[in-house]
Each structure stands twice: as structure tokens, then as C-alpha cells.
Amino acid sequence: MSESLDVVLRLVRAQAALVRRFDARLGGLHGVSLSDFTLLLRLGQAPGGRMRRVDLAEALGLTASGVTRGLAPLERIGLVTREPDARDARVAYASLTATGRRRLREMLGTAEETATELLAGPAWGKEDVAVFSDLLSRLGGTGPSGR
């Protein structure tokens, strides 16, 4: 096996481990998955806490149907609502509710704590985290804000 393939496969396994860790923390404390959290976070960063569904899909690297499937349970529990466009009936916005904004702030604290635990201690210096961030960016790994 080539070194490149080995690195990619290790990255895939690391990503799966990170998802499990975040899913466990976010699910246990807030009843949401990492996927739910990233969707809510992206909405929370949008002007007015709302985005067209197609723009949300593009920002998250998902299909329109993937966003619709992701939003449905968040709508059912009152974190997100669907808003029609007053000028174009074909356009729908996903918008954070007041409850969604409050819960997102709580989730963000949990996610920050989890990330700090994962990338702290003697194994991860501040410079290591910065280098890792740059390397992930080279692979197209932008965060929810597009950075």
C-alpha cells in the first residue's frame, strides 16, 4: 500500500472517530448529532439566521434532498422553521427559531469543549493545531463558516 493511500485511510478512520465522539457528546447532552449541529451552526452564522435551502446545501457540501432530510427532524423539534419567500413561491428559507438560537449557543459550548479536549495536552501544541488546520484546508476541508 502506498503512503498516500495509508494517510487517506487513516484520515477516514480519524474522521469516523471524531464523528462518534461528537455524536456521543452532542447527542447525550443536546439530543442532536454532529451533522445536525453543523447544519444549525451554518444557519446561525448566516445573516438573520436564515438561508435558502439550496445555499445551505452548497455551503455544507450536501445535496438539496440531503438538507431537506436533515432539516425535517430539526423542524419537528422546533429548532428550525421553513419560511417561504414573499416574492418567489419556489424559494424556501430555513431559519433558526428563537429556541434554535438558544440551543445552538448551548451546543456550541459543548462542541468547543469537545474540540479542546481532542486537540489539547502534550500531544497537540498551538502550532500543531495551526499546521493541521492548514493541511486540512489544502484537502478542501473548510469549516462551517467556509474558512
Side-chain angles (χ1 to χ4, degrees), residues 33-48:
S33 67
L34 178 59
S35 178
D36 296 334
F37 169 73
T38 58
L39 195 152
L40 292 167
L41 182 60
R42 187 63 189 98
L43 278 177
Q45 293 169 333

Side-chain angles (χ1 to χ4, degrees), residues 10 15 66 94 97 113 122:
R10 287 189 291 137
Q15 186 263 347
T97 64
E113 288 173 16

Side-chain angles (χ1 to χ4, degrees), residues 126-137:
K126 194 171 187 170
E127 186 176 304
D128 293 327
V129 174
V131 168
F132 191 48
S133 178
D134 288 342
L135 293 171
L136 290 173
S137 293

Side-chain angles (χ1 to χ4, degrees), residues 7 17 19-20 33 51-54 69 92 94-95 100-101 104 108 110 114 120 122 129 135 141:
V7 167
V19 169
R20 282 192 306 274
S33 67
M51 289 181 77
R52 291 185 325 157
R53 288 170 176 245
V54 295
R69 281 191 305 275
S95 178
R101 284 190 294 278
L104 176 57
L108 190 55
T110 299
T114 305
V129 174
L135 293 171

Side-chain angles (χ1 to χ4, degrees), residues 76-90:
R76 280 194 297 276
I77 62 174
L79 302 181
V80 174
T81 189
R82 179 185 174 99
E83 292 182 7
D85 187 301
R87 290 174 281 172
D88 188 345
R90 298 169 297 176

